[in-house]
Amino acid sequence: MASPLDVAVIGLGSMGLGMALSLVRAGHRVAGCDIAEPGRAALAAAGGHAAATPAEAARGASAALVVVVNAAQTEAVLFGPEGAAATLAPGALIVSSATMAPADARRFAARAEEAGFHYLDAPISGGAAKAEAGALTVMASGSPAAFEAARPLLSAIAATVHELGGEAGIGASFKIVNQLLAGVHIAAACEAMVFAKSLGLDLDRVFEVISQSAGTSWMFENRVPHILEGDYRPKSAVSIFTKDLGIVSDIGRSGSFPLPIAASALQLFVATAAAGMARDDDASVARLYARIAGLDLPGETPPGTETR
Amino acid sequence: MASPLDVAVIGLGSMGLGMALSLVRAGHRVAGCDIAEPGRAALAAAGGHAAATPAEAARGASAALVVVVNAAQTEAVLFGPEGAAATLAPGALIVSSATMAPADARRFAARAEEAGFHYLDAPISGGAAKAEAGALTVMASGSPAAFEAARPLLSAIAATVHELGGEAGIGASFKIVNQLLAGVHIAAACEAMVFAKSLGLDLDRVFEVISQSAGTSWMFENRVPHILEGDYRPKSAVSIFTKDLGIVSDIGRSGSFPLPIAASALQLFVATAAAGMARDDDASVARLYARIAGLDLPGETPPGTETR
């Protein structure tokens, strides 16, 4: 393996923690921080250092991976008070993985480069299990120098790295397009499954047949089992898609590009969140349809008899 | 093979003709009819009999496959003047493959069974190439006797037969759920690809990356190449989805089931048809977005300079 590096991981949620643990396993010296205790404790238990602030995690490090929720948090943990940019080693690498508008990615890259850092616009996909396994997909863009510096880190966290271009913003754009489709496909899968229920169909059979037909999608095959099992513990929460389709919607509006399908899907995630399911699995859109239509889904109390 | 049967194929469009040719290849005696000449000529050239009416095609036949556009045509070619029901052999089998509302399928089955026929509710999917190869997917429901009678025919036309239940309406319901998803996924693929264009992305690279990501769908992988090649010759036309999502929408409304995502997709197909592309490939929804947003797609004249 390459020589061990001092790496900060800012944000130890399910994705950031998995990435931090993958870096520890690859032999790097990892310091991480998060507002929440569980991520810090898990990193410390695995042999990493749990820091109190981004600045502490990044002190003297040659790279910082930023795996927070959005652009505002990314800006705060990099450039705010106690931010990482103040303490990173000169010429260090910043890898930014939150989903954000391309314009934000370009803005942060410019600011980082002005301060003498390399910046890789590197949104990720794959979910918590793949993060932990070091098998994420990374949609990355940035300067050749940023890619060069990132190589030992990316090899520890990712199974696939798409190198998408020489400047920040391109990675963010690819991720946004992916999220548009992913969000629409989840909402459509939920709409179709509860519609199938309204037609009196056997949902297990619907899953089996549609999975083999032209109506299938990656999300249909991944999320419908949650509906069939009545398991809405959040593998990925509704709130991720109110956020990501919100970004999609903002970009479309600011760029005068109409997105009627994405807008419908966004409203369904918003309605599902409004109905109290923001932190539940994103397949909960199916529960929203079932409640509206007065239908029973596996593991769900029939509407009208629930006590929640 | 089983003993040769006298089979009528009513409707010799791209799907019906492919099924008729597959039946000829399997050794059956096939008589077919269509309002349009090309299908009749192709069947005659392959050794089948080109009939002038459904009644003529079905005279004395032990089975009729109905492969027309919708429920109204199915009703007309079976039970209207010169309809097949008047001339089929007693106890014959009717295989109905048009996409239609489950209630229509149940109504036609009842009427056919009252007249002493077996009825298989058997929508198909797979497209023209698979129809010609005898490799369709059939989503079928009906009595055990109907399935039994259909077996030698299904084995000639289909690679996969989903046996979905003992009565008509179930096959139609599965097909409708599939078409809801298929239509939404086509519209979403078009929305996403032209949105990607608006972000300045390389569309070939978008196709490559998204096809490997959580945002992919069967339709994304199948239809986006049409956009990349600028080839809108109709493999499946926009008008198929104004029709099929129209049926979905009617069922939802009559059953008080809300379908906001399908409704958005339907409106996009309607808008694409209204813009003059009803008979073009259903990926033409991408051209609608491109024209609205003033963007250039492969093979497409930039808006404002087109002469069409």
Side-chain angles (χ1 to χ4, degrees):
Chain A
M1 61 156 277
S3 19
L5 300 170
D6 289 300
V7 184
V9 178
I10 320 292
L12 298 169
S14 59
M15 301 299 281
L17 178 61
M19 293 160 79
L21 297 180
S22 298
L23 290 164
V24 169
R25 268 203 316 278
H28 299 294
R29 293 177 295 266
V30 179
C33 70
D34 198 290
I35 315 172
E37 172 57 22
R40 290 200 305 269
L43 176 60
H49 171 65
T53 63
E56 185 196 326
R59 194 168 311 281
S62 59
L65 273 62
V66 184
V67 200
V68 293
V69 164
N70 56 22
Q73 287 189 9
T74 299
E75 183 158 29
V77 302
L78 282 175
F79 305 114
E82 300 296 325
T87 56
L88 276 169
L93 167 73
I94 294 170
V95 177
S96 174
S97 292
T99 300
M100 64 181 71
D104 287 322
R106 286 191 290 267
R107 192 160 55 87
F108 300 155
R111 192 157 168 191
E113 286 163 5
E114 227 171 66
F117 299 120
H118 300 290
Y119 186 97
L120 196 69
D121 172 17
I124 48 181
S125 83
K130 290 202 169 174
E132 180 139 15
L136 289 169
T137 294
V138 182
M139 301 181 182
S141 69
S143 67
F147 270 110
E148 187 55 38
R151 219 164 298 280
L153 309 178
L154 295 176
S155 73
I157 63 169
T160 306
V161 178
H162 296 292
E163 301 195 13
L164 299 169
E167 58 208 51
I170 303 173
S173 297
F174 272 78
K175 179 73 190 291
I176 281 296
V177 172
N178 185 69
Q179 293 307 90
L180 184 166
L181 287 163
V184 167
H185 294 169
I186 292 168
C190 294
E191 180 168 302
M193 289 304 290
V194 189
F195 180 55
K197 181 78 185 175
S198 80
L199 298 175
L201 302 184
D202 174 333
L203 296 191
D204 290 303
R205 200 84 169 94
V206 171
F207 178 62
E208 186 194 334
V209 170
I210 299 291
S211 296
Q212 301 171 50
S213 301
T216 197
S217 69
W218 193 99
M219 281 297 179
F220 184 90
E221 294 175 33
N222 189 269
R223 299 303 205 266
V224 170
H226 304 180
I227 301 171
L228 299 177
E229 290 154 19
D231 182 358
Y232 297 96
R233 288 174 298 176
K235 287 178 197 66
S236 176
V238 168
S239 59
I240 298 289
F241 276 102
T242 51
K243 172 177 74 66
D244 286 2
L245 286 177
I247 297 171
V248 168
S249 169
D250 286 346
I251 297 172
R253 202 170 58 238
S254 72
S256 282
F257 191 91
L259 297 165
I261 307 269
S264 286
L266 171 58
Q267 289 305 316
L268 282 162
F269 287 109
V270 170
T272 304
M277 297 177 271
R279 291 169 177 277
D280 295 344
D281 192 78
D282 51 28
S284 293
V285 173
R287 294 194 288 177
L288 180 76
Y289 277 105
R291 291 176 190 183
I292 289 170
L295 294 166
D296 207 3
L297 288 179
E300 284 288 288
T301 318
T305 64
E306 60 189 324
T307 55
R308 180 183 178 150
Chain B
M1 58 156 281
S3 20
L5 300 169
D6 289 300
V7 184
V9 178
I10 319 290
L12 298 171
S14 59
M15 302 299 280
L17 177 62
M19 294 160 78
L21 298 180
S22 299
L23 290 164
V24 170
R25 269 202 315 276
H28 299 293
R29 291 179 297 266
V30 179
C33 70
D34 199 291
I35 316 173
E37 171 59 22
R40 290 200 305 268
L43 176 59
H49 171 65
T53 65
E56 185 196 327
R59 193 168 313 279
S62 59
L65 273 63
V66 183
V67 201
V68 293
V69 164
N70 56 22
Q73 287 189 9
T74 299
E75 185 158 29
V77 302
L78 282 175
F79 306 114
E82 300 295 326
T87 56
L88 277 169
L93 167 73
I94 293 170
V95 177
S96 172
S97 291
T99 299
M100 64 180 70
D104 287 322
R106 286 191 290 268
R107 192 159 56 84
F108 299 155
R111 193 159 168 192
E113 286 162 5
E114 227 171 65
F117 300 120
H118 300 291
Y119 186 97
L120 197 69
D121 172 16
I124 49 181
S125 83
K130 290 201 169 175
E132 179 139 15
L136 289 169
T137 294
V138 181
M139 302 180 181
S141 69
S143 67
F147 270 110
E148 187 56 36
R151 220 164 299 280
L153 308 180
L154 294 176
S155 73
I157 63 169
T160 307
V161 178
H162 297 292
E163 300 195 13
L164 299 169
E167 59 207 51
I170 302 172
S173 297
F174 272 79
K175 179 70 190 292
I176 280 297
V177 172
N178 185 69
Q179 293 307 89
L180 185 165
L181 288 163
V184 168
H185 294 169
I186 292 168
C190 293
E191 180 168 303
M193 288 303 292
V194 189
F195 181 53
K197 180 78 186 175
S198 80
L199 298 175
L201 302 183
D202 174 335
L203 296 192
D204 290 302
R205 199 84 170 94
V206 172
F207 178 63
E208 185 194 334
V209 170
I210 299 292
S211 296
Q212 301 171 50
S213 301
T216 196
S217 69
W218 193 98
M219 281 296 178
F220 184 91
E221 294 174 32
N222 188 269
R223 298 304 205 267
V224 171
H226 303 181
I227 302 170
L228 299 177
E229 290 153 19
D231 182 359
Y232 298 95
R233 287 173 298 176
K235 288 180 196 67
S236 177
V238 168
S239 58
I240 298 288
F241 276 101
T242 53
K243 171 177 74 67
D244 287 2
L245 287 176
I247 297 171
V248 167
S249 170
D250 286 347
I251 297 171
R253 200 170 60 237
S254 71
S256 282
F257 191 91
L259 297 165
I261 307 269
S264 286
L266 171 57
Q267 289 305 316
L268 282 162
F269 287 109
V270 170
T272 304
M277 296 177 272
R279 291 169 177 278
D280 295 344
D281 193 77
D282 51 29
S284 293
V285 173
R287 294 194 287 178
L288 180 76
Y289 277 104
R291 291 175 191 184
I292 289 170
L295 294 166
D296 206 4
L297 288 179
E300 283 288 289
T301 319
T305 63
E306 59 191 322
T307 55
R308 181 181 176 150

